[in-house]
Amino acid sequence: MLRLIRGFEELALGLVKSGAIPGGIHPYIGQEAVAVGVCSALGPADRLTSTHRGHGHVLARGAAPHRMLAELLGRVDGLNAGRGGSMHAADLSLGILGANGIVGAGAPIAVGAAWAAQQARLAQQAQLAQQAQQAQQAQLAQDDRGSHGHLPVAVAFFGDGALNQGVLLESLNLAAMWRLPVLFVCENNGYATTLPAATAVAGSATGRAAAFGIPVEEVDGMDTEAVRAAALRAVRRARDGDGPGFLECRTYRYEGHHTMERRMKLRYRTPAEVEAWRDRDPLPRAAALLDPATAAGLDRSVAEQLAAAEEFALASEHPDPAGALDHLYADGLRPRPGVTP
Ligand SMILES: Cc1ncc(C[n+]2csc(CCOP(=O)(O)OP(=O)(O)O)c2C)c(N)n1
Ligand SMILES: [Mg+2]
C-alpha cells in the first residue's frame, strides 16, 4: 500500500504537469506511513475524514485507484463522478466521509459520525434490554450486549495547520465530554503551507488534546509499524467505550505544499532539511522487512495496477455540462427559482 500511494502520487504529478489533471494537487509523498499505519488498524464499519492532502488516506482505506485517478481527472467514472476532485473525494461505501479543502473541517464531521455510532449503539442496547425483559431473559440480553459492545470508530486526519483552528478545539472538547469513539490523527509535517509549525503553534499538539483529558501519543510518522501500533491502542480504547484518542505523527512531505509551488519558487526549507528527512523515507524502511523477491513482486504488481488505472481514467468521459447540477442537491431540493446554472 505504501508503494501504491507513492506510485499513485508520482503518476498524478505527471498528469498535473501534462495538464490532464485540472488545477493542482497537494501530494502526499513522504507521509504514506501515517495513512497506511492508521488505516491498517481499522475495521470495515469504521469511518474517516480526510484533508486537502488526502489521496493517501483514501487509497489506504481501500478506494479503487482507477476510480480515484478518474476523480482527479474530473471524469464520469471518478469516485464522485468527477465532481469532488482531489480535495473532496469520498466513498461512503468504505466509510470515507470525504476529503476536505477547509483546514480542520474534517474533525467535527468525524465527531458527528462517532456520535451517531454511539447513539445507534445505545438505541440497540435499549431495544435488546426491552426485548429481554419481555421474554424474561435478562442473561441472554447480557450476552448479546457483550457481543455487540464494540463501537465503530471515526478517524479525523488533519495537519499541524489545523491545530489553531477553533473548530478542532471544539471537536476535541465534545469528543472528550461525550466519550466518543474518535481517533484524532495530527500529521505534523512541520509546515502549514510555508509557515513552520515551530513559529505558529504555542505549546504542543499533544498538549492541546491532553488539556481535554484525551490520551495522547507522539509517534514517528515515518515508521508504519509504529503508527499502526499506536493506532491499534487508541482504536481499541475507543471501541471499548473509553472515548477519544489523539496521535501526533511526526512526518514530512517531500514535495511542495502543492503543485504550483515550484513555479512560485518559494524558499522556506533548506535542501539539507529535505535530504535529512529523505533518509527516513518510510518505503525503504518497510521494504527492508520483506525478502527482495517479495518486494520486487509487489513493485511489479503496483506498476501494473497503476498503468491500468491510468488507461481507465484517461479513457473515461468528461461529464456532460448539461448535468452540472446533478448530485449537488439532496432529493427534493432544487436551485432557487430564477437561478440558472
Ligand atoms: C480554514 C482554512 N484556512 C486556510 C486555508 C488555506 N490553506 C490550505 S492548506 C493550508 C495549510 C494547511 O497546513 P496543514 O494543516 O499543516 O496541512 P499540510 O498542508 O501541511 O498537509 C492552508 C492555510 C484553508 N484551506 N482553510
Ligand atoms: Mg502541515
Side-chain angles (χ1 to χ4, degrees):
M1 184 51 74
L2 295 165
R3 161 68 45 216
L4 180 74
I5 296 170
R6 175 75 52 96
F8 182 93
E9 292 294 67
E10 287 166 352
L11 174 58
L13 281 176
L15 291 168
V16 170
K17 216 170 178 182
S18 74
I21 292 178
I25 60 168
H26 300 81
Y28 196 66
I29 293 176
Q31 300 187 197
E32 295 90 344
V34 180
V36 174
V38 170
C39 289
S40 73
L42 302 180
D46 298 330
R47 300 186 175 96
L48 66 82
T49 58
S50 174
T51 67
H52 58 287
R53 196 178 303 289
H55 305 174
H57 311 139
V58 174
L59 292 171
R61 183 61 183 155
H66 63 287
R67 297 209 48 221
M68 182 61 181
L69 195 62
E71 187 59 34
L72 299 192
L73 286 154
R75 308 299 175 97
V76 293
D77 296 306
L79 275 183
N80 308 108
R83 313 304 169 101
S86 169
M87 283 195 275
H88 297 95
D91 187 340
L92 300 187
S93 71
L94 295 169
I96 301 168
L97 305 183
N100 207 310
I102 302 170
V103 169
I109 297 172
V111 167
W115 184 57
Q118 186 196 57
Q119 293 301 305
R121 186 54 44 90
L122 288 173
Q124 189 187 21
Q125 285 176 349
Q127 200 185 7
L128 278 173
Q130 199 183 19
Q131 283 167 1
Q133 211 176 16
Q134 280 165 2
Q136 295 189 324
Q137 288 177 332
Q139 188 54 48
L140 187 64
Q142 200 60 42
D143 295 346
D144 276 355
R145 252 187 304 232
S147 64
H148 290 95
H150 294 297
L151 287 161
V153 171
V155 176
F157 288 101
F158 53 91
D160 46 286
L163 290 171
N164 296 326
Q165 291 297 106
V167 72
L168 181 77
L169 304 175
E170 294 173 44
S171 300
L172 291 169
N173 182 58
L174 211 57
M177 275 310 293
W178 293 351
R179 292 179 81 84
L180 298 178
V182 194
L183 174 57
F184 295 94
V185 179
C186 177
E187 295 188 76
N188 186 350
N189 60 10
Y191 296 90
T193 316
T194 57
L195 184 68
T199 65
V201 181
S204 65
T206 49
R208 280 163 168 68
F212 294 100
I214 296 175
V216 299
E217 267 197 72
E218 273 179 40
V219 193
D220 178 358
M222 308 305 270
D223 181 343
T224 316
E225 292 302 322
V227 175
R228 173 179 159 78
L232 279 170
R233 282 189 285 275
V235 163
R236 200 170 303 131
R237 277 196 309 272
R239 279 205 204 300
D240 288 348
D242 290 337
F246 186 103
L247 304 183
E248 179 188 4
C249 302
R250 297 292 183 94
T251 182
Y252 203 75
R253 57 170 162 75
Y254 294 146
E255 294 293 319
H257 171 68
H258 50 44
T259 39
M260 278 77 87
E261 185 171 308
R262 254 181 228 173
R263 230 179 313 136
M264 294 164 77
K265 297 206 187 327
L266 300 175
R267 298 269 180 273
Y268 58 94
R269 46 188 203 175
T270 62
E273 178 184 299
V274 180
E275 275 319 302
W277 279 92
R278 277 200 191 281
D279 289 344
R280 306 184 48 209
D281 190 331
L283 267 70
R285 195 167 185 166
L289 301 174
L290 305 171
D291 71 83
T294 309
L298 282 174
D299 285 353
R300 261 196 314 279
S301 99
V302 165
E304 282 164 19
Q305 217 180 328
L306 290 175
E310 185 178 11
E311 196 177 332
F312 171 90
L314 287 169
S316 175
E317 301 282 331
H318 288 277
D320 179 355
L325 288 186
D326 294 352
H327 315 301
L328 288 186
Y329 298 95
D331 281 350
L333 282 181
R334 291 285 166 263
R336 278 176 288 137
V339 177
T340 42

